[in-house]
Amino acid sequence: MTRVLIVYASLTGNTRAGAHILEDAFLELNTDVEVIESYDADPFEYEDYDICVVGTYTYGTDANLPDEIVDFYEELEDVDLNGKVYGVFGSGDVFYVGKYCLCVDYFEDQFEKTGAKKGADGVKYNLDPNEEATAHLKSFAKELVAKHEQMN
């Protein structure tokens, strides 16, 4: 059975909501899925999973990584994830023009250093995941599983 690990950081609950939408989507796709908050996670745990997912919000006017996921982000580049599939999602606020959900991009760049294969384009949504964002997250899960199946 395909194993999925979702690690997320959430301040207001918006990214946590996205993580649980994804959890349900992966369960519907008959995967074994685990969801962990970033401060409880170690990036080396991804070695035991087939699909590696990060969810994060983008913080402040400078589009910073949230404090609770910085260590995870920095350590991620040291993990060998060859043969794994990754995906990134996140919440932001469209008010921050030019900096909207940039942490999704930061994590995609970091995953590239691990040797993992991108399974789907990152999902970015404004604040709390609405109906459209929920549909994107469900499609995202399907794409990640399909990429994993294609690789194996």
Side-chain angles (χ1 to χ4, degrees):
M1 180 178 279
T2 301
R3 298 190 72 217
V4 181
L5 177 57
I6 302 169
V7 175
Y8 74 92
S10 188
L11 180 66
T12 61
N14 295 337
T15 310
R16 179 177 51 245
H20 289 295
I21 290 166
L22 275 176
E23 178 183 28
D24 291 344
F26 280 118
L27 288 172
E28 289 176 16
L29 295 166
N30 296 319
T31 66
D32 179 15
V33 61
E34 185 171 355
V35 180
I36 303 175
E37 291 189 58
S38 61
Y39 55 78
D40 288 332
D42 180 329
F44 287 91
E45 290 178 81
Y46 280 140
E47 293 173 340
D48 298 327
Y49 292 83
D50 304 301
I51 299 174
C52 312
V53 179
V54 164
T56 185
Y57 61 98
T58 299
Y59 187 73
T61 57
D62 292 327
N64 293 318
L65 284 167
D67 288 343
E68 65 268 29
I69 204 165
V70 169
D71 289 344
F72 186 90
Y73 172 85
E74 291 173 350
E75 294 169 9
L76 180 61
E77 73 178 301
D78 296 327
V79 183
D80 179 1
L81 297 178
N82 279 303
K84 312 285 184 187
V85 173
Y86 79 85
V88 184
F89 73 97
S91 62
D93 189 331
V94 293
F95 174 80
Y96 298 103
V97 177
K99 297 183 181 186
Y100 175 68
C101 290
L102 280 181
C103 290
V104 170
D105 302 332
Y106 301 160
F107 262 102
E108 286 185 338
D109 291 344
Q110 198 72 330
F111 266 117
E112 285 297 314
K113 299 174 186 174
T114 70
K117 297 294 180 206
K118 184 176 184 177
D121 288 335
V123 175
K124 301 176 180 182
Y125 55 87
N126 187 48
L127 305 173
D128 198 37
N130 60 17
E131 200 172 299
E132 180 182 355
T134 297
H136 282 129
L137 288 166
K138 289 179 179 182
S139 294
F140 175 76
K142 287 178 185 173
E143 288 179 54
L144 293 174
V145 170
K147 180 68 172 184
H148 169 70
E149 289 172 353
Q150 175 192 10
M151 290 172 50
N152 290 298

